[in-house]
């Protein structure tokens, strides 16, 4: 029966309350309503099949994985971590082998994983130890889920598991339980034990006897994001080719950073012992590194083939191909450059006119004009002018150097290039 007097009292209180309290009251009412009306439950029969695809569709979730056994030898683990879409994970915890206890920390992104050691982060190919879905799938794959019971919040199922790490020969009698949230259909817990009896705990070591395996899931869509640690594959000590003022050095370093960012190359650039140290996330060839650290004055010239073998400028590494430069067509800032590397058998570098100079455009459009690609006074390659204000070079460099050249050509010219003092 509804107490009308109480309702009236509450109504009088709300109408008499200051306006500033109304938003708080409204939020309280809404939150209570959402809690009291969570929505219809998912189907109990299909929930086990859909639970893991529902989990993988989330932005993130937190997990805890722990297991232990005493036979055939003592083995255990206790990890806490989280998964972040699309395929990133963080694992932090312990491995127990016999009497030894080892702290482990992993980061995993795509096909790579990073393990934190005393020497820093080490990168390796990703294994099953950093894939929570694979860990669970080993236990549940192909198993029939038999409905056990339900509560207001969850469904419970039982199944006959197999633990390839803890019981590879399948000699133990194991029992498994799966718990799924009734409303969201998300998995909450997977638990495997050697028997349904109460497992005892050793008061001295704190390790529970028997076999157990458990995975728990929570913090759905609010577990966090994963950032890959930086692992240097190559370290290069560099110095400017000439002495620079503090301002000029700062500007030169800033331009070098922009080149590295255009390449999407992981790096760290820091001053050490009065020198600059460039640490790269992947190994770079000496040719590409020389390009990256060059002043980067890239020009297009009209040229003529030299008739004498001892005159003119050598084109690339071919001493038999020499040219004489005639007229400067384009220089940094007057063109758009693009490296075309896939799926072509050899890379192409295209320069497109952006200066709007019709006289220059006429030169470039002349198919018979020989155009030289010049970097800091050195002729890299030659091509014939083509239409649409575009010159295409196809006979120089590989995929790596083509991408570096495009990044250098798209940035400012350095006040001074860098020389390599040491590389390892």
């Amino acid at each position: 029966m509804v107490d009308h007097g109480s309702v009236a009292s509450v109504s009088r209180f709300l109408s008499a309350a200051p306006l500033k309290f109304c938003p708080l009251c409204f939020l309280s009412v809404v939150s209570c309503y959402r809690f009291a009306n969570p929505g219809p439950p998912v189907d109990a029969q299909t929930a086990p099949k859909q639970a893991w695809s529902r989990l993988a569709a989330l932005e993130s979730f937190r997990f805890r994985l722990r297991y232990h056994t005493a036979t055939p030898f003592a083995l255990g683990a206790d990890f806490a971590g989280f998964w972040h879409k699309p395929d990133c994970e963080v694992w932090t915890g312990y491995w127990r082998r016999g009497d030894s206890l080892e702290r482990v920390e992993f980061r995993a992104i795509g096909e790579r994983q990073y393990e934190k050691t005393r020497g820093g982060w080490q990168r390796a190919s990703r294994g099953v130890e950093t894939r929570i879905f694979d860990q669970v799938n080993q236990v549940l794959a192909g198993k029939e889920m038999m409905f056990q019971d339900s509560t207001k919040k969850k469904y419970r199922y039982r199944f006959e598991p197999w633990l390839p790490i803890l019981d590879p020969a399948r000699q133990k009698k194991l029992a498994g339980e799966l718990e799924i949230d009734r409303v969201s259909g998300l998995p909450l817990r997977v638990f495997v034990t050697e028997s349904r009896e109460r497992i005892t705990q050793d008061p001295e070591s704190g390790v529970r006897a028997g076999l157990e395996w458990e995975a728990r899931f929570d913090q759905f869509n609010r577990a966090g994001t994963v950032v890959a640690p930086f692992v240097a594959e190559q370290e290069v000590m560099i110095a400017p080719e000439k002495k620079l003022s503090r301002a000029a050095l700062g500007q030169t370093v800033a331009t070098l950073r922009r080149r590295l960012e255009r390449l999407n190359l992981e790096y760290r650039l820091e001053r050490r012992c009065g020198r600059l140290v460039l640490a790269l996330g992947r190994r770079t060839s000496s040719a590409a590194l020389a390009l990256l650290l060059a002043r980067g004055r890239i020009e297009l010239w009209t040229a003529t083939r030299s008739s004498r073998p001892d005159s003119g400028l050598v084109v690339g590494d071919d001493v038999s191909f020499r040219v004489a430069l005639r007229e400067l067509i384009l220089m940094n800032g007057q063109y758009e450059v693009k490296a075309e590397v896939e799926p072509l058998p050899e890379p192409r570098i295209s320069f497109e006119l952006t200066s709007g100079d019709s006289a220059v455009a006429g030169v470039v459009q002349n198919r018979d004009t020989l155009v030289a690609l010049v970097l800091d006074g050195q002729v890299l390659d030659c091509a014939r002018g083509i239409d649409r204000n575009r010159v295409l070079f196809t006979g120089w460099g590989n995929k790596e150097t083509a991408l570096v050249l495009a990044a250098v050509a798209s940035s400012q010219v350095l006040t001074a290039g860098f020389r390599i003092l040491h590389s390892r």
Side-chain angles (χ1 to χ4, degrees), residues 53-61 83-85 186 220-221:
S53 59
R54 290 175 185 266
L55 190 65
L58 297 179
E59 186 69 25
S60 64
F61 61 84
W83 179 93
H84 179 247
K85 195 173 185 178
L186 294 170
F220 302 118
N221 279 337

Side-chain angles (χ1 to χ4, degrees), residues 120 143 145 164 198 315:
K143 306 304 179 184
M145 297 295 148
R198 185 174 181 271
V315 178

